[in-house]
Amino acid sequence: MKTALIYSDDFSRFSYGSSHPLKPFRLKLTYELIKACGLLAPDDPRVIVPAPAKREDLLTFHSAEYIDMLEASNSGRELPGAAAYGLGYGDNPVFPGMFDWSLLVAGASLLAAHLVDSGEAGIAFNISGGLHHAQANRASGFCYINDPVLAIMLLVARGRRVAYIDIDAHHGDGVQAAFYDTDKVLTISLHETGETLFPGTGFERQTGEGTGRGYSVNIPLPLGAGDELFVRAFAEAVPQRIERFRPDVIVSQLGVDTFRSDPLAHLNITTEGFCTMVRMIKSLAPKWVALGGGGYDVTNVARAWTLAWAIMNDVRAPDDIPPSFLQRFSGAAFPNRLRDGA
Ligand SMILES: [Zn+2]
């Protein structure tokens, strides 16, 4: 199956601020590690550079007044009334280029959806995407524009049946909200229980409403859940529902804040459990739009998404991280090995 990696060095031009846990630089680390591991050739045609989304693309989900506020805040200056849209404190800082960053990430996910829909790629991976908390009218959880929703909207508008699978540590609440009352999109989120983690939602009883009843699936996992529990829950819940729904395309959010060393969540996933789930998604997906997501230990982000890219391409990644990469990015304190454990 043809694959595409959506990437731009411009991703890491942006910064949420030095003390903020979301580091766009992790995307450059991931891209460089993929290259260092020999999983991309020089000038590889699989790498496709995104263009920023357009205002009308955002309007398929977000309100015009919210987009206006984001655009007006792009200078990095906090405007009166911004707080009503979730902007300007801790999680969702108003930083210079905030709107440009959001447009680029959204454009990258829309490009991934377009490539898969048009048949130019069977699998497209936007490592910058997966900002699943953004709501129609407000920023939430480091997310300003909900790129998974926009990608799904594009696919649905082109007559595709879409299933969304979210394995981030946090509940995919923004995506669930967008499709809560429709049977056109199946959303499945596995995450640390909302009793102990933001956003405090995603319980089993949240199953959708109206014609959407049964099309929102939530699998909350207890504090400390590791590979065994997480993967077993995935294997028991996801394949049967996907097979019954028969999607044309799977959109997945591959957050890696589930890993044991992540500073924000309280789960214990390793690269082994993560890769097992990525392989299962691949086997279930007729076509696949893969998105990034959370991940606040940047070494996990780069290692896990490098392994995911190898799986997408049916090649084996090396066991060790090349010494030249370790030397070049010594400040990030990578382990020698690509995989966790033995
Ligand atoms: Zn997360």
Side-chain angles (χ1 to χ4, degrees):
M1 203 179 268
K2 277 181 81 171
T3 57
L5 182 70
I6 317 300
Y7 180 75
S8 168
D9 269 333
D10 283 345
F11 290 149
S12 41
R13 277 202 301 119
F14 301 98
S15 170
Y16 281 60
S18 57
S19 60
H20 195 282
L22 182 59
K23 310 286 187 204
F25 183 66
R26 68 198 183 125
L27 304 171
K28 181 170 177 62
L29 282 177
T30 303
Y31 176 69
E32 294 296 339
L33 183 57
I34 289 173
K35 277 203 302 188
C37 288
L39 301 170
L40 285 173
D43 299 319
D44 198 305
R46 289 172 295 177
V47 178
I48 305 187
V49 178
K54 298 191 180 69
R55 182 186 170 87
E56 61 260 33
D57 298 326
L58 312 185
L59 285 166
T60 59
F61 177 56
H62 295 285
S63 70
E65 68 265 24
Y66 174 51
I67 298 168
D68 290 343
M69 177 56 82
L70 286 177
E71 191 167 10
S73 306
N74 196 48
S75 66
R77 199 167 62 84
E78 199 179 320
L79 299 170
Y85 297 96
L87 297 169
Y89 52 90
D91 277 5
N92 316 307
V94 174
F95 61 85
M98 178 194 77
F99 189 55
D100 294 334
W101 153 256
S102 302
L103 290 178
L104 188 58
V105 170
S109 289
L110 288 166
L111 174 61
H114 169 74
L115 291 171
V116 160
D117 175 66
S118 66
E120 290 165 76
I123 301 171
F125 188 13
N126 171 23
I127 58 175
S128 74
L131 303 182
H132 59 173
H133 295 304
Q135 304 285 338
N137 209 29
R138 66 183 285 122
S140 175
F142 318 160
C143 308
Y144 304 90
I145 294 293
N146 198 314
D147 63 282
V149 169
L150 300 186
I152 294 168
M153 290 289 194
L154 180 150
L155 292 163
V156 170
R158 296 187 188 178
R160 302 292 181 182
R161 200 167 162 80
V162 183
Y164 173 75
I165 303 173
D166 187 323
I167 59 170
D168 190 278
H170 301 89
H171 175 222
D173 59 340
V175 185
Q176 173 177 292
F179 304 107
Y180 204 58
D181 60 356
T182 177
D183 57 2
K184 299 268 188 293
V185 177
L186 171 68
T187 66
I188 306 176
S189 179
L190 293 96
H191 44 262
E192 180 178 329
T193 172
E195 284 168 13
T196 50
L197 194 66
F198 177 91
T201 53
F203 298 100
E204 293 100 318
R205 63 178 181 274
Q206 294 179 282
T207 59
E209 62 190 20
T211 54
R213 191 168 297 280
Y215 291 87
S216 290
V217 178
N218 284 296
I219 300 142
L221 295 161
L223 211 66
D227 286 350
E228 200 183 315
L229 189 56
F230 206 119
V231 174
R232 197 175 79 210
F234 187 104
E236 285 179 9
V238 179
Q240 50 152 323
R241 286 183 169 85
I242 296 291
E243 279 156 20
R244 212 180 310 140
F245 185 74
R246 289 187 286 112
D248 302 310
V249 183
I250 288 180
V251 175
S252 70
Q253 202 270 21
L254 303 178
V256 291
D257 42 8
T258 46
F259 279 52
R260 64 180 57 173
S261 60
D262 195 272
L264 295 196
H266 318 94
L267 299 173
N268 282 305
I269 297 297
T270 71
T271 50
E272 192 181 334
F274 175 76
C275 288
T276 302
M277 290 189 281
V278 170
R279 272 188 224 95
M280 282 197 272
I281 295 171
K282 182 168 189 282
S283 73
L284 291 166
K287 292 176 162 215
W288 181 13
V289 175
L291 307 173
Y296 308 100
D297 175 337
V298 296
T299 66
N300 290 339
V301 174
R303 291 185 303 120
W305 293 348
T306 295
L307 291 166
W309 174 247
I311 291 167
M312 290 170 196
N313 287 282
D314 294 315
V315 294
R316 187 178 158 78
D319 293 329
D320 296 328
I321 295 182
S324 58
F325 177 90
L326 293 174
Q327 216 163 30
R328 185 175 166 200
F329 296 106
S330 58
F334 276 83
N336 293 339
R337 288 179 57 85
L338 202 53
R339 296 170 183 78
D340 295 319

